[in-house]
Each structure stands twice: as C-alpha cells, then as structure tokens.
Amino acid sequence: MKEFSSFYRSNLLIKVFALTFIFVFSSTLLAQDGEKKDPRYGGYARLFSMGNNPFIVDPDNIKTNPAYSSVYSNFLWGDIGSNNGTADEGNGQFAGFNYSLNKEFTLGALLTRNDFNSSSIGSLDPGGLVNLVNTNAAGSDIVALNNNFELLSSYRFGNYVIGLGVSYASTTNDFTPATGTGDKNSAMQLGFNVGFMADLSTSFKFDIDFAMALPSATYEPGTGDKVEASNTFMAANARAFLKLSNKFTLVPIVGFYNGSGKVDVGAQSTDLPSMMRLGAGVGLTYQVENLIISGGPSFVYESMTVASVANVSPELKDSRLVFPAWNLGAEWYFTDWLIGRLGYVASTFSSTNQSTASSTTINENNRTGFDNGDVRLGVGFRFGGFNLDATVNDDVLRQGLNLIGGGTRTFAYLSASYGF
C-alpha cells in the first residue's frame, strides 16, 4: 500500500507539472506581443515562490549587493510578512527605499527586525550571543537586538556600478543603585557590505559582493568578572550571466561564508564554534517577454568546528555535503496585472557528525539524507506602480470547495513595492 501511495503521488506531481508548463507555454505564445513590463517588482515572496531561485535578478538582491539599488531606483519596498500565529503583526516585516539623486547616484535605506529573512548585514545576532550570555552569566539581562538600520548607496559610471552599505543596531540595560556599583548590559552589531556590477557586453555581465557583520554582547556586573562575547561573520557571492541566445542565459554562481567568535570571562578566553560554507552552482534561464523559467543544481559544503577543551574533549567537526540541491522556478503573466509562479526545491546530502568518546577520542556517524522536496506556488499583482507579491498557501488547493466559509489563509507570505 505504501508503494502504491508513493507511486500515485509521484504520477500526480508529474501530471501537475506537465499541465502547468503546457499552460505556461501556450499562454506565452498568446502574449508575446504585449507591452514590456516594468521590472521593478518582486522580493522574498517572489524568490521563495520560484524555489528560492538564486539564478534570477530581483530587488531582494539589494540585501546582499547594494549595487542593485541602482537597478531599482525610485523604489519603495518591504515585506508584509507572514502571520506568526500569536499577534496581528507579521513575521519577517521590513521597510526600505531607494531614491535616485541623479543618473549616477542612488541613496537608499533598510529598517529591519530580528526576524529578517536574509543572511545579510540586515540579519541581527545570527550567532545568538545575547541568549548565550544571558543563559550562562548569572545576573545578565542583555536586551536582544532589534530595529537594525542600514544606509546604502550606489554609483554608476559607464557600464559599471559600485555599491556600499553600512548597518548598525544597539541596546543597553544599565542599573545604577543609590549606593554601590551597578550592572551594565549592552549589545551592538556593526555591519558593512560592498557590491559591484559590470555589464561588459550584450552577452556577458556579472555581479559580486562582500559583507561583514560584527555582533557583540557585554555584561559587566558591579562585582565579578566582565563577560564579553563577539562574532565575526563574512560572506561573499558572485554570479555571471552568459547570454547564449535571445532566450537562453547560463548563470554560474559561487558563494562563501565564514563565522567565528569567542567569549571572554575576565582574563579567560574561549573560542566559540566556527562555521564555514562553500557553494557553487549553475542555472539555465529561459526568458521571453512574459515568461521566465530558471533553475539548476548546486553544490554546498558546510562544516562546524568545536575547539578542544584540555582534559575534557578533543576538537570536534561536523560536516555536510549537499549535492545536488535543486532550485527550479517559473513565472508568467496571466494578464497585464496578474502573474503566476511555480517553484520546486529538493536536495540530497551526506553528513558526518562527531561526538566525544573520551578526552582524546571521538565517535563518528556518517549518513545520507534527503531534504523533502517542496512545491511552491505564488502570485503577483500589478496596479500601476504598486506591486503585491505573495506565496500561496498549499492548503488553498488541497481544501478545494471547503475554502468557502472556511478559515484557511490564502497567502502565506507577502512582499510589496512601489516604483515611481
């Protein structure tokens, strides 16, 4: 029975994809003579709906590469987010703008929260330093970081664009008694990134970016040792767009990420686990006036190293090799104001996990695993310069007629923008 159920689901999925892509191509043939659409739309909801697609250009790229603010100038954007199940406020909300001061110079800003959906300098305390100090240092009461402000700019000279971004967030919680010495609690994060874009010819262009984030948390009691924790995170990404024909573009990508840190308690220093990620992939994009189909496989290697502790444990290293990781997506216009999206993600990985057997020996476990494949659906709405992009809750399709009078949410995540 289990084999029959698996076979039925597989065939149903194949039929859904086949019918969808037949509809996409037939719709495209009818829409080729339409007007060229304003490209200033998208965001996290669009990329998620298209399978977390790293091979397409989107306003979301501004988060890691500020040079893209020149592409999306005179632009208000942000995420309405998803409902967190406990309050009316959405999860993942942020707001931003880009304004073109002249043909060369664009100025922008982002105001992000601690639930920001991006591994960029807008993401706050990714190493969890505040929680680490508050949990392990008795009396510590550091306020978690929030409301990160990022100022960014870009400058275009000829076929080249350079972008710069700087972010900052901080908190304090100091107690001063009437007599004696009080406690001081503080947290801070400084980040900066730089991006570059080059349009070298009609058939070749590329982008590259680098970012660094420096979060820290400090607890200074009235009496006792001062506790300081800090992280250093660095990331770099690069993409090339090789136009093979009027419709096909090859998109190779590479990325690197590294994180390290330490905790100082008085004169004693302890290294925090260090992390490293290296990735590469290649995608193929098919694009005509009202249709984009893009996707491909990627390779990712991740590792985390825990430093040895004398007479307690040796150095431990966990690693994970992901290949292939598939990111597939399609986007097409139903009408001038309504866009449909379809995406799929899946990956296979092998992992190695080490644990302490004794102060000098380790246990090791190697295994193969699979991240469950996931079909994504999305829509986009265009009303003049205003754009609303949404991921569609899968249950909308599963519930069918039960939606009438039911309580199922139609959209899982919302991004909005306005081009002027």
Side-chain angles (χ1 to χ4, degrees), residues 216-228:
S216 63
T218 303
Y219 169 56
E220 190 172 356
T223 58
D225 291 328
K226 181 179 180 180
V227 180
E228 295 180 287

Side-chain angles (χ1 to χ4, degrees), residues 146-390:
N146 209 338
N147 292 343
N148 182 68
F149 179 73
E150 179 182 347
L151 184 66
L152 55 94
S153 63
S154 62
Y155 183 78
R156 178 180 293 275
F157 50 103
N159 294 327
Y160 307 96
V161 182
I162 187 169
L164 299 171
V166 179
S167 66
Y168 180 77
S170 66
T171 64
T172 58
N173 183 19
D174 298 340
F175 174 71
T176 304
T179 59
T181 304
D183 298 338
K184 294 183 179 181
N185 299 269
S186 63
M188 184 271 288
Q189 179 171 309
L190 177 66
F192 70 89
N193 59 7
V194 57
F196 182 74
M197 298 168 52
D199 194 349
L200 300 181
S201 70
T202 57
S203 60
F204 178 68
K205 60 182 179 180
F206 72 90
D207 61 56
I208 185 169
D209 60 77
F210 173 80
M212 177 178 287
L214 304 168
S216 63
T218 303
Y219 169 56
E220 190 172 356
T223 58
D225 291 328
K226 181 179 180 180
V227 180
E228 295 180 287
S230 62
N231 278 134
T232 299
F233 296 105
M234 295 183 291
N237 302 281
R239 295 186 299 182
F241 300 87
L242 308 172
K243 198 170 184 63
L244 305 179
S245 69
N246 290 334
K247 297 179 180 180
F248 288 96
T249 302
L250 190 68
V251 188
I253 62 173
V254 294
F256 174 78
Y257 175 86
N258 178 263
S260 61
K262 64 176 182 175
V263 177
D264 296 326
V265 181
Q268 183 178 358
S269 181
T270 302
D271 290 333
L272 293 173
S274 61
M275 297 161 284
M276 189 272 287
R277 181 187 303 121
L278 179 65
V282 60
L284 185 64
T285 297
Y286 173 84
Q287 182 170 4
V288 291
E289 184 68 24
N290 292 302
L291 170 69
I292 299 174
I293 299 177
S294 182
S298 298
F299 157 93
V300 179
Y301 175 76
E302 303 171 317
S303 68
M304 181 178 72
T305 302
V306 179
S308 62
V309 179
N311 302 319
V312 176
S313 64
E315 179 182 273
L316 301 176
K317 184 175 182 179
D318 293 343
S319 62
R320 176 180 163 107
L321 177 64
V322 183
F323 183 79
W326 291 99
N327 301 92
L328 309 172
E331 175 182 78
W332 66 95
Y333 277 81
F334 287 113
T335 68
D336 286 342
W337 59 271
L338 179 62
I339 295 176
R341 299 189 181 107
L342 177 67
Y344 186 73
V345 296
S347 62
T348 302
F349 67 86
S350 59
S351 63
T352 300
N353 300 97
Q354 296 181 340
S355 59
T356 300
S358 70
S359 61
T360 58
T361 60
I362 60 175
N363 299 315
E364 186 170 286
N365 176 248
N366 297 284
R367 66 184 295 266
T368 298
F370 306 91
D371 291 323
N372 289 332
D374 185 25
V375 175
R376 277 89 178 277
L377 303 173
V379 291
F381 302 94
R382 305 285 168 262
F383 304 104
F386 177 75
N387 312 292
L388 184 66
D389 297 282

Side-chain angles (χ1 to χ4, degrees), residues 20-138:
T20 300
F21 276 95
I22 289 172
F23 173 76
V24 169
F25 280 106
S26 62
S27 299
T28 302
L29 292 176
L30 296 174
Q32 288 304 300
D33 294 329
E35 295 181 1
K36 185 174 179 62
K37 305 300 187 297
D38 187 339
R40 292 180 300 170
Y41 66 86
Y44 180 79
R46 177 182 180 237
L47 290 186
F48 183 88
S49 299
M50 297 180 69
N52 287 343
N53 207 302
F55 307 109
I56 60 175
V57 174
D58 187 89
D60 200 74
N61 300 151
I62 299 171
K63 296 175 181 178
T64 54
N65 189 334
Y68 271 98
S69 62
S70 67
V71 177
Y72 301 97
S73 59
N74 298 330
F75 191 64
L76 299 173
W77 66 303
D79 283 356
I80 301 171
S82 62
N83 189 282
N84 59 16
T86 60
D88 291 333
E89 63 182 25
N91 184 57
Q93 293 181 343
F94 80 94
F97 78 90
N98 300 319
Y99 181 70
S100 178
L101 299 180
N102 53 47
K103 292 182 179 180
E104 293 81 23
F105 189 69
T106 298
L107 183 66
L110 291 175
L111 182 60
T112 65
R113 308 190 314 190
N114 54 14
D115 56 2
F116 189 51
N117 286 310
S118 175
S119 56
S120 68
I121 61 174
S123 179
L124 288 167
D125 192 13
L129 293 179
V130 170
N131 182 66
L132 176 68
V133 176
N134 283 343
T135 301
N136 293 280

